[in-house]
């Protein structure tokens, strides 16, 4: 399943966040597709695929001490339209 996460943090936690980024190693079952940083600071965006609930949790829990993560399950719009058509919606 694809997830688009928006992580936010307080400016005073910048150093902690940088340390987390230095040690970022996605666990097995996580495929990072792309990632972006807000040039104004305090936000990070990532699109990734998680193969399981366990991989998803293992990937996000280590950030809970410095970030608030807004995680959104997403699907490409063309795939969504095909799914809705196949369901008769």
């Amino acid at each position: 399943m694809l997830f688009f996460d928006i992580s936010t943090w307080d400016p005073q936690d910048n150093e902690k966040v940088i340390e987390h980024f230095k040690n970022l190693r996605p666990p097995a079952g996580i495929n990072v597709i792309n990632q972006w940083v807000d040039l104004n600071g305090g936000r990070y965006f990532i699109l990734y695929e998680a193969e399981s609930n366990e991989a998803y949790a293992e990937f996000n829990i280590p950030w809970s001490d410095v970030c608030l993560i807004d995680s959104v399950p997403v699907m490409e719009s063309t795939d969504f339209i095909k799914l809705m058509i196949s369901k008769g919606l």
Side-chain angles (χ1 to χ4, degrees):
M1 180 176 258
L2 287 175
F3 291 92
F4 186 81
D5 289 0
I6 302 170
S7 300
T8 57
W9 60 90
D10 291 325
Q12 67 264 20
D13 291 330
N14 281 343
E15 292 299 319
K16 291 178 187 176
V17 171
I18 289 169
E19 285 304 311
H20 274 285
F21 274 113
K22 286 179 184 177
N23 298 315
L24 179 62
R25 306 287 181 272
I30 296 293
N31 175 35
V32 175
I33 297 167
N34 212 332
Q35 46 195 326
W36 305 266
V37 176
D38 182 342
L39 296 178
N40 292 315
R43 289 193 306 176
Y44 166 72
F45 307 90
I46 184 170
L47 178 65
Y48 62 96
E49 185 173 19
E51 293 179 4
S52 67
N53 292 335
E54 293 80 10
Y56 173 84
E58 187 179 343
F59 189 49
N60 281 303
I61 287 173
W63 292 88
S64 63
D65 63 331
V66 294
C67 294
L68 174 62
I69 301 173
D70 185 13
S71 189
V72 181
V74 296
M75 175 185 277
E76 289 188 32
S77 59
T78 54
D79 292 339
F80 179 75
I81 291 167
K82 289 176 190 174
L83 176 64
M84 293 298 101
I85 290 170
S86 75
K87 300 294 180 184
L89 300 173

